[in-house]
Amino acid sequence: MNRTTLPALVVLGAAGLLLPVVPLSPLASAAAAEQPVPVLNGDFADPVMRGDGPTTVGIDHWTGLNQRYSPTASGRTDASHGVALQKDGNTLQQRLRGVRAGARVTVRYEDSPAVSKECTGEQVVSGQPYAVVGSGGPVQELTTAGDPDRVKGTPGKGRWTGRAYVFTASENEPLLTFTSRVTDSRTHVTCSPMIARIRAVEVPQELDKTVSKTALGTSEAFKGNDRESTLQNAAAACNGENACTFRPDTRMSFRYYDRARVVGEAFVNCTRNALEHSRLLAYSERSHDSISQTYADAGLALNEVARLPTSGDRTEDEKRVKERPMATQFALAHEKGWQRPWQWFSSDQRTVVEKIQPGEVSWVEMQPSRERVEGWFVSKKDDYRLHAVIDGPSRAVPDRLLQRTGPMSEAEKQRCAAARPMTTTPVGADAPASSSDKGLLKTPAPTAPGVRSSERSMPLN
């Protein structure tokens, strides 16, 4: 599982919306097929605009105030609006939801010189410069197609050219940025390069299933396209019964068997005969989550609103199940997505009958069935997003109990060969037994010191 490894005090934040994706078939996985990436409002249609523009109202899910034109005014034949990047380094930005660090991302879009009637022929005759970059990728400098027939006062018809930009994400939720390179102070603010119809796909890194449940990685939080410095605000935004929805990423979620562990004691048979006996075994499992681990790694106390039922204290966790809204939000999403309840903890006990041969050892091992789910707590307004990985006991498949017998270790052989604890006989150790107590009568206690009893027990010949 791919995780960023930023310093703990810095990484206590940063996340994104991870939408559910249908798991790939084995053949598709083997071929590392491209998967769609949700570019929110990639046609720049929201909020709905009146007239043909240009308007400078903020565009939903994008950061940066830019000039927006209707499809007609942009010279397009589809429903995509055109956005002019203004000038002097102005940017248009969005974080690509669901993309993990290490994924290879391909962004496809179209560009055009400005259609603004304020442009002079000189300003667009050779095209207009801009740059595009994604987190971890190279800055790609581009120039739109030219529009040599333009005359100031007459709107352009748009000369749209398809483009593709490829980069490898260096962080989760990589930031895609378009930047205007028009710096001429004489250029009108609306006469700048235009962008339209943004789409993206990715080839994600292979899922790493070797990550320990006690080291699930660093949780992150975002508000819109901005990285949060802590998890506190995002967790607080989810502190209500229906305040947030958990959105799992099925690509990063899986079931597995944990490492085997010995349950109870090992029974060593030092006798010359086979032994058969019954014993009661009891065992339990708990959950773990990346949010609490992120706080712990940073050396900070876990905020009340971020406490999931993963403390390991059964009484405390039962309380959190009832009182923590995020626990309910997660459990509801899991049951809806996988059609089975989520369990934060489990316990069981059973009687095992053991038959142990001479010179052998008997013991019982357990391999618990577990389940790991990765995803995002998303606020109802879709502004705060909190990343989480939760690992807990699984109801999907049964636990494994392995009843085992095997040869003794050298230490156990030495223990079985050790002499029975004894003491010495200081006097007459070699002498034969002096008599037998078989058939002796009971001897009453003397009545007074130095006085012999009149009745004595005598050996019978």
Side-chain angles (χ1 to χ4, degrees):
M1 189 176 297
N2 200 331
R3 306 264 189 265
T4 54
T5 54
L6 301 175
L9 290 175
V10 176
V11 295
L12 238 144
L17 163 63
L18 211 54
L19 298 176
V21 178
V22 177
L24 294 177
S25 67
L27 290 178
S29 298
E34 291 183 339
Q35 302 177 17
V37 173
V39 179
L40 304 183
N41 196 23
D43 291 333
F44 307 117
D46 297 318
V48 176
M49 65 180 294
R50 296 181 180 180
D52 289 332
T55 63
T56 55
V57 177
I59 303 171
D60 289 358
H61 303 295
W62 293 89
T63 300
L65 292 177
N66 297 274
Q67 303 290 324
R68 186 170 57 140
Y69 294 79
S70 70
T72 301
S74 301
R76 299 192 57 81
T77 58
D78 58 9
S80 298
H81 295 60
V83 172
L85 299 176
Q86 294 195 23
K87 61 176 185 176
D88 297 330
N90 188 63
T91 60
L92 177 69
Q93 297 179 315
Q94 181 179 141
R95 289 195 177 272
L96 299 179
R97 271 68 163 172
V99 177
R100 311 297 292 156
R104 185 171 178 80
V105 183
T106 301
V107 179
R108 295 183 175 89
Y109 63 97
E110 297 179 34
D111 66 17
S112 170
V115 297
S116 171
K117 64 181 179 180
E118 301 295 335
C119 294
T120 65
E122 179 184 2
Q123 291 168 339
V124 295
V125 63
S126 299
Q128 294 181 294
Y130 70 95
V132 58
V133 64
S135 300
V139 177
Q140 185 167 309
E141 302 287 348
L142 297 161
T143 301
T144 69
D147 194 355
D149 301 326
R150 291 286 296 283
V151 177
K152 185 174 182 180
T154 302
K157 298 180 179 180
R159 291 178 176 267
W160 294 99
T161 304
R163 303 285 190 179
Y165 171 69
V166 181
F167 71 100
T168 299
S170 62
E171 63 176 343
N172 300 331
E173 305 277 295
L175 186 65
L176 177 65
T177 304
F178 295 91
T179 305
S180 173
R181 295 295 196 220
V182 176
T183 58
D184 189 344
S185 60
R186 296 172 299 173
T187 301
H188 192 276
V189 67
T190 62
C191 186
S192 55
M194 300 180 68
I195 303 296
R197 199 176 186 277
I198 302 176
R199 303 289 187 268
V201 295
E202 66 165 327
V203 177
Q205 275 199 329
E206 185 177 352
L207 175 61
D208 182 3
K209 295 184 179 181
T210 65
V211 175
S212 170
K213 61 180 181 292
T214 59
L216 295 173
T218 301
S219 285
E220 305 168 309
F222 284 97
K223 184 177 183 182
N225 294 317
D226 297 326
R227 182 186 295 273
E228 290 282 281
S229 60
T230 71
L231 305 182
Q232 170 62 21
N233 291 336
C238 294
N239 193 29
E241 183 178 356
N242 297 311
C244 285
T245 300
F246 185 80
R247 300 185 182 180
D249 181 2
T250 57
R251 302 172 306 172
M252 310 298 291
S253 305
F254 60 95
R255 300 192 306 268
Y256 69 100
Y257 277 109
D258 205 357
R259 290 183 177 180
R261 68 173 187 267
V262 176
V263 180
E265 300 81 14
F267 199 105
V268 182
N269 185 2
C270 292
T271 73
R272 296 182 175 87
N273 303 306
L275 298 179
E276 184 172 329
H277 73 114
S278 300
R279 62 167 160 163
L280 183 65
L281 296 176
Y283 52 91
S284 62
E285 285 290 300
R286 54 166 289 197
S287 293
H288 301 265
D289 76 274
S290 62
I291 297 176
S292 62
Q293 291 174 10
T294 300
Y295 276 88
D297 291 344
L300 300 176
L302 182 62
N303 291 103
E304 179 70 25
V305 292
R307 294 179 181 177
L308 292 171
T310 59
S311 70
D313 183 321
R314 184 66 173 264
T315 302
E316 171 65 18
D317 287 341
E318 288 176 344
K319 179 182 177 182
R320 292 184 185 183
V321 168
K322 298 177 181 178
E323 297 179 356
R324 295 270 58 86
M326 289 173 61
T328 301
Q329 294 158 12
F330 175 83
L332 288 174
H334 180 275
E335 186 165 358
K336 182 178 180 180
W338 280 274
Q339 302 299 307
R340 62 177 179 274
W342 173 264
Q343 57 181 6
W344 294 98
F345 36 77
S346 66
S347 60
D348 199 1
Q349 63 180 25
R350 62 190 61 196
T351 300
V352 175
V353 178
E354 295 178 304
K355 187 171 184 179
I356 316 169
Q357 298 300 321
E360 286 194 340
V361 182
S362 173
W363 71 98
V364 176
E365 294 179 359
M366 178 192 177
Q367 270 193 290
S369 167
R370 298 189 64 87
E371 193 163 1
R372 185 169 300 175
V373 179
E374 181 170 346
W376 301 86
F377 289 96
V378 184
S379 66
K380 288 297 183 181
K381 295 181 180 180
D382 200 20
D383 48 1
Y384 282 107
R385 305 187 304 280
L386 173 60
H387 172 262
V389 183
I390 299 173
D391 190 301
S394 177
R395 292 176 180 264
V397 293
D399 297 329
R400 287 175 177 161
L401 281 178
L402 294 86
Q403 188 170 350
R404 303 183 63 177
T405 59
M408 295 181 189
S409 67
E410 289 302 317
E412 289 164 340
K413 290 178 181 178
Q414 292 175 14
R415 181 64 259 168
C416 286
R420 176 168 53 91
M422 296 292 289
T423 188
T424 61
T425 304
V427 178
D430 300 333
S434 61
S435 64
S436 170
D437 62 1
K438 184 177 181 180
L440 292 181
L441 300 177
K442 181 177 179 182
T443 302
T447 58
V451 178
R452 293 188 176 185
S453 172
S454 58
E455 296 181 3
R456 292 191 303 170
S457 296
M458 299 294 292
L460 298 178
N461 294 327

